[in-house]
């Protein structure tokens, strides 16, 4: 799908951006098996659904420095689930098991935009006046299903949304990894939805701890507002975002027989 003279996007989860047929960003998911013969492969961050392109023979392979933990499977698990072990049915996102090697230089035509929050090093790239924002924000259906956007630092992620909003005033468009590919006006609407959703999420979390709750109890309560299935892995992942929110909004944090309990 062409979105500008020099930029093409291959729909998927993640969507994959191709610039001038030479630079590829976030080749993963169903697009991971495609032979794109890129001169450069870039990943916005180190999660396993975004890094398959780094296993190719591209001349330049780039991963943000802060996400270098993703070069090993153990590191990827640690930052995705918060722990690792030999084997577990909980590791449903172990999409890339190989060791990865990268080099550290970006192609000169790529402008790097730091958008931390989803991961420590999460980075957007501007190519041909289009911003590939990766997982800085998500499609509305993704949020309605999962309720919790996966952010290891929720508050930094909210600040990153402000950066994207400001940048969009001077760019032709923005592409996200998980969600639809729209023209600029509708993408701005999706961004605004993410900002409002983040504000609602904080209020839902505050409501969930009015009588005290653990992080996992908060997740289950809040996820009941969505359309997605409440599975063990989803609760584990969403607990990471919940703890980031709770650390700021809880008025009291106690250790009780059921664990760490947050009170509003």
């Amino acid at each position: 799908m062409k979105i500008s003279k020099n930029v093409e996007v291959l729909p998927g989860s993640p969507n994959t951006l191709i610039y001038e047929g030479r630079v590829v960003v976030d080749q993963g998911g169903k697009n991971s098996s495609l032979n794109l013969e890129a001169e450069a492969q870039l990943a916005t961050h180190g999660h396993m659904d975004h890094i398959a392109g780094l296993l190719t023979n591209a001349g330049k392979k780039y991963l943000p420095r802060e996400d270098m933990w993703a070069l090993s499977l153990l590191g990827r698990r640690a930052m995705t689930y918060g722990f690792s072990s030999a084997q577990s049915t909980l590791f449903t996102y172990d999409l890339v098991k190989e060791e990865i090697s990268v080099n550290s230089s970006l192609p000169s035509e790529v402008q790097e935009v730091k958008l931390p929050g989803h991961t420590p090093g999460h980075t957007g790239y501007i190519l041909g006046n289009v911003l590939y924002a990766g997982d800085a924000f998500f499609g509305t259906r993704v949020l309605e299903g999962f309720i919790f956007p996966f952010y290891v630092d929720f508050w930094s992620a909210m600040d990153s949304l402000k950066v994207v909003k400001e940048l969009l005033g001077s760019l032709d468009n923005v592409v996200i990894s998980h969600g639809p590919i729209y023209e600029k006006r509708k993408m701005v609407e999706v961004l605004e939805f993410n900002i409002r959703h983040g504000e609602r999420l904080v209020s839902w979390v505050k409501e969930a701890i009015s009588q005290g709750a653990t992080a996992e109890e908060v997740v289950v309560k809040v996820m009941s507002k969505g359309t997605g299935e409440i599975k063990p892995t989803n609760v584990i992942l969403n607990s990471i975002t919940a703890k980031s929110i709770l650390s700021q909004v809880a008025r009291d944090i106690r250790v009780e027989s059921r664990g760490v309990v947050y009170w509003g």
Side-chain angles (χ1 to χ4, degrees):
M1 178 178 183
K2 295 280 286 188
I3 64 170
S4 75
K5 178 181 177 181
N6 299 321
V7 176
E8 178 184 3
V9 179
L10 303 179
S13 188
N15 298 315
T16 299
L17 183 143
I18 304 174
Y19 176 69
E20 292 186 343
R22 301 182 294 106
V23 180
V24 175
V25 185
D26 279 6
Q27 183 181 354
K30 72 174 187 179
N31 295 330
S32 61
S33 62
L34 299 177
N35 181 13
L36 301 179
E37 298 183 351
E39 295 176 8
Q41 279 275 1
L42 317 180
T44 53
H45 61 288
H47 283 155
M48 291 179 245
D49 54 335
H50 292 255
I51 59 174
L54 300 179
L55 296 171
T56 68
N57 294 320
K60 290 186 177 181
K61 294 186 285 187
Y62 185 81
L63 179 71
R65 176 180 56 83
E66 300 89 343
D67 276 13
M68 288 297 182
W69 47 265
L71 299 181
S72 71
L73 178 60
L74 191 153
R76 295 191 287 272
R77 283 180 174 175
M79 283 303 299
T80 301
Y81 309 100
F83 70 99
S84 183
S85 61
Q87 295 294 332
S88 174
T89 57
L90 293 172
F91 299 138
T92 57
Y93 294 104
D94 278 3
L95 304 177
V96 175
K97 295 183 170 62
E98 297 93 329
E99 298 289 305
I100 291 174
S101 62
V102 297
N103 46 48
S104 59
S105 63
L106 273 175
S108 59
E109 63 266 54
V110 180
Q111 180 181 343
E112 189 176 35
V113 180
K114 292 298 184 182
L115 299 172
H118 182 64
T119 69
H122 185 271
T123 298
Y125 302 110
I126 298 175
L127 302 101
N129 215 37
V130 173
L131 170 65
Y132 187 91
D135 285 354
F137 65 105
F138 302 92
T140 56
R141 289 187 179 179
V142 174
L143 292 180
E144 289 166 352
F146 285 92
I147 297 297
F148 286 85
F150 186 81
Y151 295 139
V152 296
D153 186 331
F154 174 84
W155 309 101
S156 291
M158 293 299 99
D159 289 339
S160 290
L161 293 186
K162 297 174 186 176
V163 172
V164 173
K165 185 175 180 179
E166 184 175 345
L167 282 171
L168 275 178
S170 59
L171 294 173
D172 293 337
N173 208 343
V174 59
V175 177
I176 54 177
S177 294
H178 304 285
I181 305 163
Y182 290 141
E183 44 84 25
K184 179 179 176 179
R185 180 184 61 82
K186 291 203 69 174
M187 289 305 299
V188 170
E189 292 176 2
V190 174
L191 174 60
E192 294 285 359
F193 180 90
N194 275 254
I195 294 171
R196 293 193 304 271
H197 183 83
E199 294 167 351
R200 286 195 300 268
L201 182 58
V202 171
S203 67
W204 290 337
V205 168
K206 289 180 177 178
E207 178 185 321
I209 60 172
S210 60
Q211 301 300 315
T214 67
E216 290 187 348
E217 288 171 339
V218 168
V219 168
V220 173
K221 288 179 183 179
V222 175
M223 282 190 72
S224 66
K225 300 177 182 294
T227 59
E229 185 180 356
I230 303 177
K231 299 185 292 186
T233 297
N234 292 342
V235 174
I236 289 171
L237 296 180
N238 287 343
S239 293
I240 294 172
T241 305
K243 288 174 185 176
S244 180
I245 298 172
L246 287 164
S247 67
Q248 295 294 316
V249 304
R251 289 185 294 178
D252 191 17
I253 304 174
R254 310 173 193 169
V255 176
E256 300 181 7
S257 59
R258 54 180 163 160
V260 177
V261 180
Y262 301 84
W263 290 81

